[in-house]
Amino acid sequence: MSATTYPNYSPGLEGVVAGVTSISEIDSDRSSLVYRGINVHELAEHGSYEETCYLLLNRRMPRREELDQFRMLVGDERDVPSGVYEAIKQLPPSTHPMDMLKVAYAVLAPYDPDYENNDHDANVRKAIRINAKAGTIAANGYRILHGLHPIAPDSSLGTAANFLYCLSGEKPDPYTEKVMDASLTLYAEHGYNASTFACRVTVATLSDLYSGMVSGIGTLKGPLHGGANEEAMRMILEIGDPSNAESWLRNAMAHKKKIMGFGHREYKKGDSRAFYLSRVAKEIGIRKGITTYGEIADTLERIMLEEKGIYPNVDFPAAYAYYLLGIPIELYTPIFVVARTAGWCAHAIEQLDNNRLIRPTCIYDGPANVAYVPVDER
Ligand SMILES: CC(C)(COP(=O)(O)OP(=O)(O)OC[C@H]1O[C@@H](n2cnc3c(N)ncnc32)[C@H](O)[C@@H]1OP(=O)(O)O)[C@@H](O)C(=O)NCCC(=O)NCCS
């Protein structure tokens, strides 16, 4: 029997139920995503990223005074210890910001007073610190890698505005802030995806939340996961003009290339986050008088659907939305990290609240009964 036909074996764990969660639900048939029962579109459109973080960590929506208090708590935790910036300064300038983030979260861990305390309340306190600092680290880490001084975070700003402020030194206008906030909300959580699963596996050994973040960041980096948003933008720029889009795509398909920002393990009828963000990305283009990327996107989306029945995922419109906002491409996956720290922490806490070591089994498919031959007789 070949390994791939072995009973109960599913390559890539496709379709395997690996746990129970009350954090989010993906409905593949309806292409919908809810966080603790609330549709993610409602949160993106009418709520805020901070409300979403509160919901993910505390299992319910905050009342007004609870939200105000949470915003203050998060705002007060945005500062980053100078030791983290010193560590980033040691990195070669060519370091990808995702690798910088792995270093930053590894170095940040021992600065947390609750670092090795895995009690529920300590983990919630750590989750707030981890989440609050993510935007500051992503923006200032990028600045340091480019020879610039870090900018002190502004505790009065939300995560989206603080990230943009630390990146450029200027507070964003309300529209830009809202777009960034909505994209963080859409990216905040997504069930047992690869990086969240890696994070759960890590903390299930009773390691700490920061180790979970480092695992999550390393896993998210790959282009089959979060790294797709950067690759999607490079592809759009390579295409350059809407008149090239069809020939570029047909040539790529003829060479069996994977088109970045398309396809999804869970959504075979489309990713609702992509529908939402695609509308937003096109609106930004119209406001800025740059419709090129939206037109390229339309052609790619049409042909991918006609030829392969494959829809774009959230990373595709996120890519050109961020580009139109003037954000450097290497920061697109780090922005995903900024948002997803909320989901990773919620999952780490859920895992530790009812822990069981995650240790699957595998099929041995190697040689049998091989005698040991002493090294000089081989
Ligand atoms: C996300 C992804 C890894 C999901 O993969 P999966 O569930 O393992 O599905 P597969 O890679 O097995 O794809 C199934 C089929 O669709 C095709 N396919 C899937 N995504 C494709 C893409 N982006 N471009 C071209 N073909 C694609 C595969 O080639 C395969 O075709 P085949 O059966 O003829 O070999 C995959 O769609 C992909 O690589 N997408 C591009 C990267 C990306 O955008 N990642 C972000 C995800 S949020």
Side-chain angles (χ1 to χ4, degrees):
M1 184 181 291
S2 91
T4 48
T5 57
Y6 204 89
N8 304 326
Y9 169 50
S10 173
L13 300 184
E14 183 164 2
V16 171
V17 176
V20 177
T21 184
S22 64
I23 302 171
S24 69
E25 184 185 18
I26 297 168
D27 185 330
S28 311
D29 285 332
R30 293 195 187 128
S31 297
S32 78
L33 172 64
V34 298
Y35 297 163
R36 300 204 185 274
I38 301 178
N39 193 294
V40 72
H41 288 198
E42 296 283 317
L43 291 165
E45 189 72 23
H46 308 296
S48 67
Y49 178 68
E50 278 69 37
E51 267 183 296
T52 302
C53 292
Y54 187 101
L55 172 70
L56 294 173
L57 291 177
N58 296 292
R59 306 189 189 124
R60 64 171 176 81
M61 289 295 271
R63 290 185 290 274
R64 161 60 60 198
E65 67 279 10
E66 289 171 327
L67 180 60
D68 291 346
Q69 205 182 7
F70 185 74
R71 281 187 203 278
M72 263 169 34
L73 199 62
V74 174
D76 288 346
E77 291 288 355
R78 294 218 192 273
D79 272 328
V80 173
S82 59
V84 173
Y85 291 149
E86 290 307 317
I88 296 172
K89 282 183 193 156
Q90 307 307 311
L91 298 172
S94 59
T95 304
H96 190 283
M98 286 298 281
D99 295 318
M100 174 275 289
L101 283 177
K102 278 188 295 190
V103 171
Y105 272 93
V107 174
L108 185 61
Y111 287 95
D112 192 313
D114 291 306
Y115 162 42
E116 288 197 298
N117 179 352
N118 261 342
D119 291 353
H120 176 90
D121 290 349
N123 280 333
V124 173
R125 289 195 295 274
K126 277 184 283 186
I128 290 170
R129 295 183 193 119
I130 284 169
N131 180 247
K133 294 180 192 334
T136 312
I137 298 176
N140 279 326
Y142 179 85
R143 290 179 63 85
I144 293 169
L145 290 174
H146 286 81
L148 300 168
H149 291 299
I151 291 175
D154 182 332
S155 62
S156 70
L157 300 177
T159 298
N162 180 62
F163 165 75
L164 293 167
Y165 171 67
C166 288
L167 192 57
S168 67
E170 283 175 27
K171 292 184 187 167
D173 61 77
Y175 177 74
T176 303
E177 179 180 356
K178 177 62 196 162
V179 168
M180 180 55 69
D181 187 273
S183 80
L184 295 182
T185 301
L186 296 173
Y187 265 141
E189 157 57 12
H190 208 214
Y192 266 47
N193 60 84
S195 56
T196 300
F197 191 59
C199 176
R200 286 190 82 127
V201 170
T202 300
V203 300
T205 66
L206 300 185
S207 182
D208 65 292
L209 236 62
Y210 285 88
S211 299
M213 297 305 108
V214 176
S215 296
I217 296 165
T219 311
L220 189 72
K221 181 187 171 193
L224 294 188
H225 194 4
N229 57 12
E230 298 183 12
E231 294 306 319
M233 194 59 225
R234 293 194 179 97
M235 170 184 75
I236 291 173
L237 290 177
E238 190 185 317
I239 293 170
D241 190 86
S243 62
N244 298 332
E246 177 157 2
S247 57
W248 187 96
L249 179 59
R250 292 199 187 279
N251 182 48
M253 286 194 300
H255 289 88
K256 305 239 170 280
K257 262 182 147 178
K258 277 256 170 118
I259 311 304
M260 291 296 137
F262 281 82
H264 202 280
R265 176 67 66 80
E266 292 279 321
Y267 300 116
K268 300 302 180 197
K269 297 179 183 168
D271 175 344
S272 72
R273 301 167 304 169
F275 301 144
Y276 182 96
L277 213 50
S278 160
R279 180 177 59 70
V280 172
K282 292 201 175 103
E283 187 184 285
I284 307 170
I286 291 164
R287 280 173 171 249
K288 298 207 176 254
I290 306 170
T291 53
T292 318
Y293 310 124
E295 288 168 33
I296 292 175
D298 282 342
T299 304
L300 298 185
E301 287 175 22
R302 177 177 55 77
I303 298 173
M304 282 297 279
L305 194 57
E306 281 169 8
E307 299 289 325
K308 298 188 80 90
I310 295 177
Y311 290 86
N313 58 57
V314 66
D315 291 323
F316 187 60
Y320 65 98
Y322 292 152
Y323 195 80
L324 286 163
L325 294 181
I327 298 171
I329 295 177
E330 310 96 280
L331 278 173
Y332 298 177
T333 320
I335 292 172
F336 196 154
V337 171
V338 172
R340 190 55 64 85
T341 52
W344 289 336
C345 287
H347 276 273
I349 293 169
E350 185 179 66
Q351 179 67 36
L352 288 167
D353 282 350
N354 191 14
N355 193 46
R356 183 155 165 81
L357 178 75
I358 300 172
R359 203 309 186 185
T361 190
C362 60
I363 302 157
Y364 176 66
D365 191 22
N369 302 322
V370 180
Y372 175 81
V373 179
V375 66
D376 292 329
E377 295 169 28
R378 283 174 217 158

